[in-house]
Amino acid sequence: MKKTETDVREESDTANGYAAGNAAPAGAGLAHADQRRVREIVLDAGGIPISGLLAEPDAPAPRAVVVALHGGGMRAGYFDSRARPGLSLLELGAALGYTVLALDRPGYGRSAAALPAGQTLADQADTLHLALAAFARDHELGAGVYVVAHSNGGKLALRAAAHEHGADWLGLDVSGLGSRYAVDLPQLPGADVRGAWRRHWGALRLYPPGAFALGRALVAPVPALEAEELPRWPELYPDIAAGVRQPLRLTFAEQEQWWCHDDRSVREMTDLLATRRVTVARQRHAGHNISLGWAARSYHLRALAFLEECLLAREASGAPSPARRSLGSHEPAGTRALGAEPVVRVGERARAEGHAAAADARVELVP
C-alpha cells in the first residue's frame, strides 16, 4: 500500500533520534518477543549504573565478547532490531558463539539520572572501562574484547581504544563516523536541537516497514556535555587517532550524509591512525542508521567477519589471549594522556621515506 503524506510525516517524527526520554528499558519497543538469548543487564561502573542488553552463546565460554556502543540520541537496542528476524546483532553474534554486550552509553538509560548532563568523551571512556571491568569479573571473555560502534559511539570506541585499558582489544568496527562533518555546525543535533532528521536515515525504503514505530522506545535526548563536544570532534580526532593501534574497520553507508567520506576525506582520516591495519568498507543499500535498516544483517556479518580475521591474526602470531586482570584492574586515575607517548604514524613514515606503496598497504578498501 502506498504511504500517505500523513504516514510519512508520522514516521519522520518517530525517526528523529532526539525527541523521546530515557524511561523505557534498553530493548523496549522491539518486535518478535522471543528474546531467549537477549536479556537486560546493569553494570556498576564505579557507582554509575550502566544498563544494556546481553546475549550469550549456548557454549560454556564465548569465543570473544562483542561490545556494541550506540550513537547519539539512541539506546543499546539500536543493535537489537526486531523489525524483521535476523537483523539483531545480539542474536546473530550469540548464534555464532560470541557474547554480545550492547551498552547504554553514559548519560543514557539507567545512568541518565546519575549523569543528567552526560559526560565528556574522556570521562565516558573511563566509565566504559569501569563497566567492562565489572563485566569481566563475572563473565568469561573468551579471546578478548571486540568493539562494534556507531556514530557518536564510534568516538567513544576510538577514545577508549587509545586508553591504556583498551590496548588488548582485538579490534574495532566503527560505522557512521568520519573526521570531518559534511554539514555546517549549526545543523548538528544537540540537547535542544533536533537537527536534520533525514540525515540520520536516508531514503525510507532502506528500512523495513514499521521500523521507525518499533524504534520509538530507543530514542533519547542527547546529553548536554555530549552535544557541546560535537563541534570539537575534528580537532579532537587527531590526538585520539594517534593512540589507536588495534585493527580497525571503518564502515560508511551508501547514503551517509553526516560525514565527508569521499576518497580524499577517508585518506585524511586513516593517515592519522597509528594502527597498522585499517579496512574501509562501503555498505550498500544503507543510510546512517545501518543497524536499523534492511542492511543490518549484511553489515553485522561483515563486522563479525572482521573479528574472525582479528582472531585468526592473533592465533597465527601465537599471541596469548588478554588476561582477565587487564580489564579487572582498572583505575580511573591511571588514564594515559593522549599524545604523551611518541607515535610514529605508519602512513606518514612511509611517505617520508618515499615509499608511497608501503603507506597504502595498511589500508584495505572493500567495496
Side-chain angles (χ1 to χ4, degrees):
M1 179 182 298
K2 184 177 181 179
K3 293 179 181 177
T4 66
E5 182 178 352
T6 301
D7 292 333
V8 174
R9 186 183 305 115
E10 288 178 351
E11 285 199 343
S12 71
D13 288 341
T14 304
N16 189 297
Y18 305 94
N22 278 313
L30 301 171
H32 305 289
D34 178 15
Q35 298 195 18
R36 179 178 63 86
R37 293 185 184 273
V38 181
R39 63 182 177 86
E40 294 180 18
I41 187 172
V42 179
L43 300 172
D44 181 0
I48 300 172
I50 298 296
S51 52
L53 299 172
L54 176 66
E56 297 177 288
D58 293 331
R63 302 188 61 228
V65 174
V66 178
V67 176
L69 303 172
H70 64 85
M74 280 286 174
R75 296 283 307 279
Y78 170 83
F79 292 101
D80 191 34
S81 172
R82 299 303 177 92
R84 288 293 186 277
L87 300 184
S88 167
L89 172 65
L90 284 99
E91 289 281 4
L92 176 63
L96 294 176
Y98 301 109
T99 290
V100 184
L101 176 65
L103 295 175
D104 290 321
R105 289 191 295 110
Y108 295 86
R110 288 284 294 273
S111 70
L115 302 170
Q119 289 185 321
T120 63
L121 201 55
D123 288 341
Q124 285 187 60
D126 276 341
T127 301
L128 172 62
H129 282 297
L130 285 168
L132 294 181
F135 182 80
R137 286 193 286 271
D138 299 320
H139 298 82
E140 295 292 333
L141 301 181
V145 170
Y146 175 79
V147 178
V148 176
H150 176 247
S151 196
N152 284 3
K155 298 174 184 178
L156 171 56
L158 295 178
R159 181 61 178 80
H163 191 293
E164 61 183 328
H165 292 285
D168 286 331
W169 285 0
L170 297 168
L172 306 89
D173 184 294
V174 174
S175 67
L177 181 68
S179 59
R180 292 193 298 112
Y181 290 110
V183 299
D184 294 332
L185 295 184
Q187 293 181 273
L188 295 176
D192 300 312
V193 180
R194 298 183 67 175
W197 77 267
R198 193 64 176 260
R199 290 182 179 273
H200 297 290
W201 304 92
L204 298 183
R205 62 178 171 77
L206 300 176
Y207 301 87
F212 299 144
L214 290 170
R216 185 184 297 272
L218 303 179
V219 299
V222 177
L225 291 176
E226 180 176 326
E228 290 172 7
E229 273 194 329
L230 289 179
R232 297 184 55 216
W233 175 246
E235 65 184 77
L236 293 174
Y237 176 74
D239 279 347
I240 292 175
V244 177
R245 294 173 172 80
Q246 301 87 338
L248 172 64
R249 184 174 186 267
L250 296 170
T251 301
F252 295 97
E254 184 177 22
Q255 291 196 19
E256 173 60 56
Q257 299 178 39
W258 282 115
W259 301 98
C260 296
H261 56 98
D262 56 276
D263 291 346
R264 179 178 177 179
S265 297
V266 171
R267 172 63 66 84
E268 291 174 353
M269 183 178 187
T270 58
D271 277 353
L272 294 172
L273 292 158
T275 178
R276 293 179 179 274
R277 182 180 180 191
V278 184
T279 297
V280 178
R282 307 285 182 175
Q283 181 61 56
R284 297 176 180 174
H285 311 297
H288 178 75
N289 285 330
I290 301 176
S291 292
L292 294 178
W294 286 116
R297 182 175 178 83
S298 173
Y299 163 60
H300 295 154
L301 284 168
R302 297 172 83 185
L304 293 176
F306 188 70
L307 168 53
E308 291 287 346
E309 293 178 8
C310 294
L311 291 173
L312 174 61
R314 176 164 295 200
E315 291 167 358
S317 70
S321 297
R324 178 180 293 273
R325 61 181 173 82
S326 67
L327 288 180
S329 60
H330 174 76
E331 296 180 6
T335 303
R336 172 173 54 84
L338 291 174
E341 299 176 2
V343 175
V344 178
R345 300 188 181 97
V346 178
E348 293 179 357
R349 180 180 62 194
R351 286 186 176 82
E353 296 174 353
H355 299 297
D360 294 338
R362 72 187 183 105
V363 180
E364 177 187 9
L365 301 179
V366 179

